[in-house]
Amino acid sequence: MSCVLTVDVGNTMTNIGLFSIEHAEGPSPASNPEPMLLGSCALTTPARITADEARIQLEQALTLMPNDPLDGVVLSCVVPTLTDPWRAALTRACSSRTLVIGPGIKTGVRMNYDDPAEVGPDRIADVVAARATYGSPVLAIDLGTTTNFEVIDDRGAFAGGIIAPGVALGARSLAEAAARLPIIELRAPERVVGRSTRAAMQSGVVLGEAARIDGLIDAVFEELGYSAPIVITGDGAESLTALLRHEATVDATLTLRGLALIWQANQRR
């Protein structure tokens, strides 16, 4: 067994997870037992951070998890200026080589993408975990600063995806662009037709996001020629999934588990 620390630095949130992983024996992540989550926590991603500041955040996060010796560390970072500080902090705090998700990393998934190097590390992790857990085909949806759709086809390959503004970004853009519109709480209103400005905005932003996701799911399935299981992760996944017409599974640890599976895949000799 190995104990692996996973760090997913997003535009808005930084998620950290600790996993217990059985030694890999099969040819791909999908053929091996899934990592077991031992503990996790979430931090706000700052615009800037030093290696010392990242190390302090990391040490505080680790106090919330089992104190097991680390066999490996894996980092996913979608903010280029934060990659080096986090890599340095992880190396200093954990005394272990940090596997940074990027070009050249083994995933066990065929990438049918014009330029695979363009695919963000968090998207790669979602693809790996979705296929390993739910098989193929499968559609993974990640809610965050952006709403990302990742499509794994019936041959188990990454067929491509969709990137759209996230629900919080949409609400913030409305308030910033229109002087008389307020910041709103991101929850579904009681009715579609709002009787106040806030309710009208909640309908447009929250119910609008659910309608957009439903519509894009239909469009993806029509283009593929078949349907697939749907898995949703990210900020507010449970509440938004409840608003969809499509049946979907909420998987809160999808991205972190994908990082652990990628670490596992890259340990084979």
Side-chain angles (χ1 to χ4, degrees), residues 115-165:
D115 183 0
E118 289 183 353
V119 185
D122 55 336
R123 298 180 64 195
I124 295 172
D126 285 344
V127 167
V128 170
R131 195 183 77 154
T133 302
Y134 304 98
S136 55
V138 62
L139 173 61
I141 303 174
D142 195 335
L143 309 175
T145 305
T146 58
T147 295
N148 298 338
F149 285 60
E150 314 304 348
V151 181
I152 297 92
D153 65 24
D154 55 359
R155 293 169 293 182
F158 175 52
I162 299 169
I163 302 175

Side-chain angles (χ1 to χ4, degrees), residues 26-89:
S28 71
S31 63
N32 290 282
E34 290 203 350
M36 181 176 66
L37 182 68
L38 302 177
S40 65
C41 69
L43 311 168
T44 300
T45 300
R48 292 177 297 276
I49 198 170
T50 67
D52 286 336
E53 290 168 339
R55 180 174 53 82
I56 291 171
Q57 287 193 355
L58 178 64
E59 290 174 349
Q60 291 174 340
L62 289 174
T63 63
L64 304 174
M65 303 180 193
N67 187 26
D68 295 343
L70 292 176
D71 298 296
V73 181
V74 56
L75 170 66
S76 162
C77 184
V78 300
V79 187
T81 57
L82 301 184
T83 300
D84 285 343
W86 269 104
R87 185 193 342 237

Side-chain angles (χ1 to χ4, degrees), residues 3-263:
C3 189
V4 177
L5 184 70
T6 61
V7 180
D8 175 34
V9 181
N11 289 289
T12 304
M13 300 298 296
T14 295
N15 292 291
I16 301 174
L18 185 67
F19 288 87
S20 174
I21 301 179
E22 290 190 24
H23 293 295
E25 296 178 356
S28 71
S31 63
N32 290 282
E34 290 203 350
M36 181 176 66
L37 182 68
L38 302 177
S40 65
C41 69
L43 311 168
T44 300
T45 300
R48 292 177 297 276
I49 198 170
T50 67
D52 286 336
E53 290 168 339
R55 180 174 53 82
I56 291 171
Q57 287 193 355
L58 178 64
E59 290 174 349
Q60 291 174 340
L62 289 174
T63 63
L64 304 174
M65 303 180 193
N67 187 26
D68 295 343
L70 292 176
D71 298 296
V73 181
V74 56
L75 170 66
S76 162
C77 184
V78 300
V79 187
T81 57
L82 301 184
T83 300
D84 285 343
W86 269 104
R87 185 193 342 237
L90 289 165
T91 299
R92 289 162 57 184
C94 303
S95 300
S96 177
R97 183 178 74 87
T98 299
L99 178 69
V100 180
I101 306 302
I105 295 295
K106 298 176 183 177
T107 64
V109 179
R110 180 180 177 186
M111 307 292 284
N112 290 337
Y113 214 74
D114 291 343
D115 183 0
E118 289 183 353
V119 185
D122 55 336
R123 298 180 64 195
I124 295 172
D126 285 344
V127 167
V128 170
R131 195 183 77 154
T133 302
Y134 304 98
S136 55
V138 62
L139 173 61
I141 303 174
D142 195 335
L143 309 175
T145 305
T146 58
T147 295
N148 298 338
F149 285 60
E150 314 304 348
V151 181
I152 297 92
D153 65 24
D154 55 359
R155 293 169 293 182
F158 175 52
I162 299 169
I163 302 175
V167 63
L169 181 59
R172 188 165 63 248
S173 296
L174 272 178
E176 290 176 353
R180 298 189 62 178
L181 294 184
I183 296 291
I184 58 170
E185 181 184 357
L186 294 176
R187 62 178 179 83
E190 294 181 358
R191 54 179 59 88
V192 176
V193 181
R195 295 180 180 175
S196 68
T197 298
R198 289 184 182 275
M201 290 177 67
Q202 287 173 332
S203 182
V205 172
V206 180
L207 298 183
E209 177 72 356
R212 180 174 67 175
I213 290 175
D214 271 325
L216 287 173
I217 291 172
D218 288 336
V220 168
F221 290 168
E222 182 177 357
E223 186 167 289
L224 289 175
Y226 50 82
S227 62
I230 303 165
V231 55
I232 301 182
T233 192
D235 303 334
E238 288 191 8
S239 57
L240 196 141
T241 299
L243 301 174
L244 299 181
R245 291 184 291 103
H246 293 84
E247 183 177 347
T249 299
V250 175
D251 189 335
T253 63
L254 186 75
T255 309
L256 291 177
R257 197 168 68 254
L259 295 178
L261 285 164
I262 293 172
W263 181 89

